[in-house]
Amino acid sequence: MNAMRAIRYLITLQEPLLATRIAGDPNSAISYPYIPGSLVRGAVAAAYARQYGVAVLDPTNEDIRRLIFDHRVRYLNAYPVDAKQRRMLPTPRSLFQVKGQDQTLYDFALKIPREQAQFVPAARDSQPFCWIEDNDIFFISPERRINVHTTRDRRKGRALEGSGTVFQYDALEAGQTFAGWVLVDSDQDVSYIESLLPQIKQLGRSSNSGYGRVSVKIDESIAESWREIPRQLQSIQADQPFVVTLLSDVLLRDPNTGQYTWDVCSYLQSLLDVKLEFVDGNTVEQRSVWRIEEVGGFNRVWGLPLPQAQAIVAGSVFVLRAKSPINVSDISAVEWRGIGERRAEGFGRIVFDWQSETELQIVKPAALELRTGKLPDLEGRAKEMAEQIAQRLIRRDLDQRLLKAIYDLRIYGYNAISNAQLSRLRVIVREALKTGDTDRLLIYRNENIEKRRSVRDQFGRVRVKGKPLSRWLEGCLKNPMSVWDEIGAQNVEKRIANNVVVSVQDNERLAREYTLRLIDGVLARLAKERRREEGAA
């Protein structure tokens, strides 16, 4: 006898992970704040091929088709967990708060406040996931890491003039744990899933560049009634408003036009075989709150991206009314199967009547520590080599951040300063770089720039970050540690072993060096821009 089963799995990131979404600069990559079910499904397919020695998965094979290609096994998105290892859920888009107040939330799906105030949504990039318990709510946002890279020539292995494009990866930080579910319609697939999931060691893109290493374990398997939310399912009475919340992106097509649509009401009406209608909040606005975004994907067999589609975003909320009762078994069946397209990849997750409180109080979640893998202690020659590697890695990271910061700085008034003044100052900077002597440059600034009116006026007319160049130089030289704020490297560190870690924190010597290099780079940029403008003239 076939029985439905839900298998919970935990993914711990050993390295930063890139699950790329459609956003930002096309030369860069921004990760989703979660691990899409499509990545897990693809990794399970690869693990199946390795385990059974299959070069290409045959969709006509019944086992393969059931596990990978149709909706009988559904790989739900892996969302962040809290300190109690509970799987967080997308923040409902019907939650709003009064602007300037950060304690009380109002659920517009249940009741629209009559007070005259400016409301702002609670569902935003800084609060993508939440946990609701009674009338309390807290938010979770996964930690992220932004790394700056340069395009390298495939043969030379380094950036070349004219081809060394600077780009960045905005990835999920290592050490975090995410929880997801695999929903299996048949008991015969449970053994496959439980054996294949722990074999996943890599997810996402750029696996050759230090991204994507993970560990996966099975957490629990539930055979009895299962819901994605911790609330008991109840039937819906006739003419009783109810709330449908999307727990993942949903892809729906209009049956008449074939175009993507947001009309969840019509789709559920056909599934439940019940007449449904939207519930209006008042004559001005509806209580339903939704959003549409473009989603994509990648097919490794084709080696091509999937066609982009318009999805209703996770967290969207629809308030409906049924003209006749809906029993628990029908609601449970819809929640179990999901709705729309690409359900095997985690799309189409919905839940009925998750929210129950018109007002929620924001509470602070328990602290959650990153789980980093245990590293060994090194001694002797191994420790010396590890220290050298860590130094090189942190310098490579800092060099990339420095280069980006130099060209991102807002600088105005290039023509206000002469080439002679720039050249003279750069000579002093390069001599100071040999010993990291920022005091020498500060003395030069005080004696040769501030005390000479003509020179002071030139440095005063050039603006760096809105400040006169002379004052910007003074701020950098008096507080060399501020260079890490200038280049966005406040928390950069490289750990090779348990007792081998190199950090920018409390590293005065390194800060002095990069302060001088930042100043030299800004002066070089000024000289370059002057030459460009003179050539154009």
Side-chain angles (χ1 to χ4, degrees):
M1 179 180 177
N2 288 341
M4 300 181 295
R5 187 180 290 268
I7 303 170
R8 188 175 191 259
Y9 62 91
L10 297 176
I11 300 178
T12 301
L13 307 188
Q14 307 297 329
E15 295 177 339
L17 185 138
L18 270 173
T20 311
R21 65 189 302 178
I22 301 174
D25 190 327
N27 292 324
S28 299
I30 300 176
S31 179
Y32 283 105
Y34 59 88
I35 302 174
S38 57
L39 285 186
V40 179
R41 172 175 168 263
V44 167
Y48 183 96
R50 289 194 303 269
Q51 180 168 311
Y52 295 97
V54 179
V56 179
L57 296 180
D58 181 6
T60 62
N61 180 286
E62 178 59 23
D63 288 341
I64 294 175
R65 185 167 190 82
R66 205 173 52 248
L67 285 171
I68 307 298
F69 291 107
D70 63 24
H71 298 152
R72 283 177 283 180
V73 176
R74 296 171 292 285
Y75 301 86
L76 275 55
N77 300 332
Y79 295 142
V81 299
D82 69 350
K84 295 182 180 180
Q85 296 294 290
R86 295 176 297 194
R87 177 178 180 253
M88 300 294 98
L89 296 171
T91 303
R93 295 187 176 274
S94 60
L95 297 181
F96 289 81
Q97 61 192 117
V98 177
K99 187 174 183 180
Q101 299 181 10
D102 56 1
Q103 290 300 318
T104 303
L105 296 181
Y106 301 90
D107 196 332
F108 281 24
L110 302 177
K111 181 182 178 181
I112 297 178
R114 298 302 178 186
E115 60 185 282
Q116 296 298 319
Q118 183 178 357
F119 290 91
V120 294
R124 47 184 181 266
D125 289 344
S126 60
Q127 299 177 166
F129 300 101
C130 72
W131 184 262
I132 300 174
E133 192 165 1
D134 298 327
N135 65 338
D136 291 337
I137 183 173
F138 65 80
F139 297 100
I140 292 286
S141 180
E143 297 289 333
R144 306 184 76 94
R145 179 190 292 187
I146 298 178
N147 287 333
V148 180
H149 301 272
T150 54
T151 304
R152 294 175 293 180
D153 183 83
R154 292 185 179 274
R155 288 184 296 176
K156 299 284 187 180
R158 56 183 172 84
L160 300 178
E161 185 175 357
S163 64
T165 304
V166 178
F167 61 96
Q168 70 179 23
Y169 283 163
D170 184 348
L172 295 173
E173 179 61 284
Q176 300 179 95
T177 299
F178 295 76
W181 292 91
V182 179
L183 306 185
V184 182
D185 287 347
S186 174
D187 262 347
Q188 61 183 314
D189 295 325
V190 173
S191 59
Y192 282 118
I193 298 300
E194 292 183 342
S195 66
L196 294 173
L197 278 175
Q199 297 182 37
I200 299 175
K201 304 299 180 185
Q202 200 81 37
L203 289 172
R205 60 180 289 182
S206 297
S207 58
N208 293 328
S209 301
Y211 293 89
R213 189 162 59 89
V214 302
S215 63
V216 181
K217 73 171 185 178
I218 303 296
D219 186 45
E220 63 177 322
S221 180
I222 299 176
E224 61 271 11
S225 59
W226 171 89
R227 289 195 83 192
E228 214 164 337
I229 60 172
R231 289 198 64 188
Q232 186 175 357
L233 192 58
Q234 296 181 348
S235 61
I236 297 171
Q237 303 303 315
D239 293 323
Q240 171 192 338
F242 63 94
V243 179
V244 172
T245 307
L246 307 189
L247 300 185
S248 71
D249 292 350
V250 172
L251 293 167
L252 298 181
R253 286 187 187 269
D254 188 300
N256 298 317
T257 65
Q259 300 298 312
Y260 289 104
T261 179
W262 56 267
D263 191 0
V264 170
C265 182
S266 298
Y267 197 91
L268 288 177
Q269 186 170 264
S270 62
L271 278 181
L272 297 169
D273 194 23
V274 173
K275 177 68 175 176
L276 301 177
E277 64 180 12
F278 283 108
V279 176
D280 292 337
N282 51 45
T283 58
V284 179
E285 55 188 322
Q286 289 184 323
R287 286 160 56 179
S288 300
V289 184
W290 68 88
R291 180 175 155 192
I292 302 292
E293 278 188 1
E294 297 286 334
V295 297
F298 192 84
N299 189 305
R300 291 185 178 275
V301 176
W302 299 344
L304 293 170
L306 296 176
Q308 294 184 12
Q310 291 182 321
I312 315 171
V313 175
S316 295
V317 173
F318 298 87
V319 184
L320 308 174
R321 180 185 289 114
K323 292 298 184 180
S324 56
I326 308 175
N327 60 49
V328 169
S329 59
D330 289 341
I331 297 173
S332 178
V334 172
E335 287 190 354
W336 175 261
R337 291 193 305 266
I339 62 174
E341 299 179 350
R342 295 173 63 177
R343 287 180 285 128
E345 303 172 38
F347 287 82
R349 305 306 308 163
I350 71 168
V351 68
F352 289 72
D353 285 333
W354 176 23
Q355 301 103 286
S356 61
E357 302 294 332
T358 58
E359 294 185 17
L360 296 168
Q361 299 302 311
I362 300 176
V363 297
K364 187 177 181 180
L368 185 64
E369 296 182 0
L370 298 183
R371 296 185 176 184
T372 55
K374 187 176 180 180
L375 297 173
D377 289 321
L378 299 179
E379 298 179 357
R381 180 59 178 162
K383 184 178 180 181
E384 293 178 8
M385 293 179 65
E387 288 173 345
Q388 293 176 6
I389 292 171
Q391 287 284 354
R392 291 174 182 173
L393 288 174
I394 199 169
R395 284 183 174 277
R396 183 180 67 178
D397 191 349
L398 294 175
D399 288 350
Q400 292 172 346
R401 293 171 186 264
L402 176 67
L403 179 63
K404 186 175 186 300
I406 289 170
Y407 283 93
D408 283 349
L409 278 176
R410 303 188 308 275
I411 302 178
Y412 304 101
Y414 299 105
N415 290 326
I417 189 169
S418 67
N419 284 326
Q421 292 296 335
L422 290 174
S423 299
R424 190 173 296 119
L425 185 56
R426 289 194 71 188
V427 169
I428 303 299
V429 171
R430 292 186 174 185
E431 289 179 356
L433 260 173
K434 297 175 183 178
T435 58
D437 188 3
T438 54
D439 291 338
R440 179 180 178 183
L441 189 58
L442 187 60
I443 293 172
Y444 178 87
R445 179 251 179 204
N446 295 336
E447 297 294 331
N448 296 276
I449 297 176
E450 288 302 304
K451 291 185 177 181
R452 299 170 61 187
R453 180 176 178 180
S454 61
V455 179
R456 184 175 67 246
D457 288 346
Q458 290 185 52
F459 278 82
R461 287 193 293 268
V462 178
R463 298 277 170 167
V464 180
K465 294 181 68 175
K467 300 178 183 178
L469 176 57
S470 177
R471 192 187 304 171
W472 180 79
L473 288 172
E474 181 185 26
C476 291
L477 295 170
K478 284 187 174 180
N479 181 20
M481 294 299 291
S482 66
V483 71
W484 308 134
D485 293 322
E486 294 278 357
I487 68 175
Q490 303 92 322
N491 301 311
V492 172
E493 71 171 28
K494 299 297 177 183
R495 183 182 294 273
I496 303 298
N498 189 48
N499 60 338
V500 178
V501 57
V502 178
S503 171
V504 299
Q505 300 296 329
D506 301 322
N507 196 331
E508 184 77 18
R509 182 177 179 180
L510 192 65
R512 290 178 180 274
E513 176 189 338
Y514 275 86
T515 295
L516 293 170
R517 290 179 60 184
L518 174 63
I519 293 172
D520 185 55
V522 169
L523 297 176
R525 181 181 164 192
L526 281 168
K528 182 178 179 181
E529 294 294 340
R530 273 189 57 86
R531 291 194 299 269
R532 181 181 299 172
E533 291 187 7
E534 290 171 356

